[in-house]
Amino acid sequence: MKKLKSGVANSTVNRMLALLRAVLRRASSEWEWIKTAPRIRLLKEPVRRVRFLTLVEAQRLLSHLPEQIALMATFSLATGLRKSNVTGLQWSQIDMQRCVAWVHPDQSKTRKAIAVPLNLDAMRVLALCKGRHPVYPFASPGHMCVSISTSVWKRALADAGIEDFRWHDLRHTWASWHVQNGTPLNVLQELGGWESSEMVRRYAHFSAGHLVAYAERLPKVIE
């Protein structure tokens, strides 16, 4: 209750409760420190809409970003990689001949390795980054770290006329585009490295093509 009164969101409190619940369960089942773990209920979280861009909006945004950040954003739209996986990507994790990259388990949110197939856009971006830095594709010459300026990002959004859009929404855009173009949800789950199918179900409403035949089964009202 103290956390809620401080103004944090239910999702923030739930992450703390989930960790506490996991520790108590292990204390009961594995460590035998307590007889039974108390029941901890998570708070209800609002279901947020998926924020994504149309192709025209994405192209407009990219045109207002500085070249280096535009390349990173394009790569994110092409692969669905999270921000940290793009900024931390190294040439040693990329096989240009096989058109594939990979995320190591310690770099993954699920602590599992992720194979990242590289489509034509992703390959074009990497080709443009060749020779810039010996370790990081998206690092500037003479710099060892990769960063994305919040002020530059916000200014580009304003110039492009786009509101309420975070960098992470590039991943939502990638997933939404996939589903809209017929990628099955189980394939999307593997491509995105999601551990739970529930995380992928949020994009299900973008794909209704397989339901059209059933919609046509109703009797015709207008002849």
Side-chain angles (χ1 to χ4, degrees), residues 108-123:
S108 169
K109 190 175 181 180
T110 60
R111 298 302 174 188
K112 295 180 181 180
I114 303 173
V116 185
L118 302 174
N119 62 17
L120 186 58
D121 278 345
M123 292 295 291

Side-chain angles (χ1 to χ4, degrees), residues 212-223:
V212 173
Y214 296 98
E216 292 295 341
R217 292 185 176 187
L218 291 177
K220 300 296 183 292
V221 178
I222 300 176
E223 295 294 341

Side-chain angles (χ1 to χ4, degrees), residues 5-215:
K5 290 180 180 179
S6 69
V8 300
N10 284 14
S11 58
T12 302
V13 176
N14 279 344
R15 284 195 292 270
M16 299 176 63
L17 291 176
L19 176 61
L20 177 61
R21 184 169 61 181
V23 171
L24 290 172
R25 285 177 176 175
R26 182 164 292 186
S28 172
S29 61
E30 296 184 24
W31 304 330
E32 298 182 352
W33 291 353
I34 56 178
K35 289 184 178 181
T36 57
R39 186 176 182 182
I40 298 178
R41 291 186 176 183
L42 301 183
L43 303 176
K44 289 186 177 181
E45 297 182 30
V47 179
R48 296 182 178 179
R49 65 185 178 89
V50 174
R51 181 70 173 98
F52 73 100
L53 298 179
T54 64
L55 178 58
V56 172
E57 288 175 326
Q59 291 171 334
R60 192 167 68 241
L61 173 60
L62 295 174
S63 70
H64 287 285
L65 287 169
E67 181 185 8
Q68 181 190 7
I69 299 181
L71 289 173
M72 297 169 67
T74 303
F75 193 77
S76 296
L77 288 169
T79 62
L81 285 179
R82 294 179 174 88
K83 182 179 180 180
S84 60
N85 295 138
V86 174
T87 57
L89 186 68
Q90 299 185 20
W91 285 114
S92 60
Q93 296 170 250
I94 302 168
D95 188 330
M96 297 285 281
Q97 290 187 336
R98 294 195 300 123
C99 299
V100 66
W102 52 89
V103 174
H104 297 304
D106 61 339
Q107 300 172 315
S108 169
K109 190 175 181 180
T110 60
R111 298 302 174 188
K112 295 180 181 180
I114 303 173
V116 185
L118 302 174
N119 62 17
L120 186 58
D121 278 345
M123 292 295 291
R124 285 173 174 168
V125 167
L126 293 174
L128 291 171
C129 293
K130 273 288 188 181
R132 288 191 172 199
H133 193 279
V135 179
Y136 299 98
F138 299 108
S140 301
H143 293 78
M144 280 302 295
C145 62
V146 184
S147 61
I148 300 170
S149 170
T150 302
S151 60
V152 170
W153 175 254
K154 288 184 177 180
R155 185 164 60 248
L157 289 174
D159 293 342
I162 296 173
E163 299 178 349
D164 185 29
F165 194 80
R166 308 162 301 161
W167 184 277
H168 188 72
D169 292 327
L170 294 172
R171 178 171 167 86
H172 292 318
T173 299
W174 165 84
S176 301
W177 287 357
H178 257 295
V179 176
Q180 289 171 15
N181 285 279
T183 302
L185 293 182
N186 64 310
V187 175
L188 180 64
Q189 180 179 347
E190 188 171 355
L191 286 171
W194 282 288
E195 190 169 20
S196 168
S197 60
E198 287 302 313
M199 297 297 292
V200 188
R201 293 295 303 174
R202 75 181 97 175
Y203 306 106
H205 62 287
F206 290 115
S207 176
H210 62 293
L211 301 176
V212 173
Y214 296 98

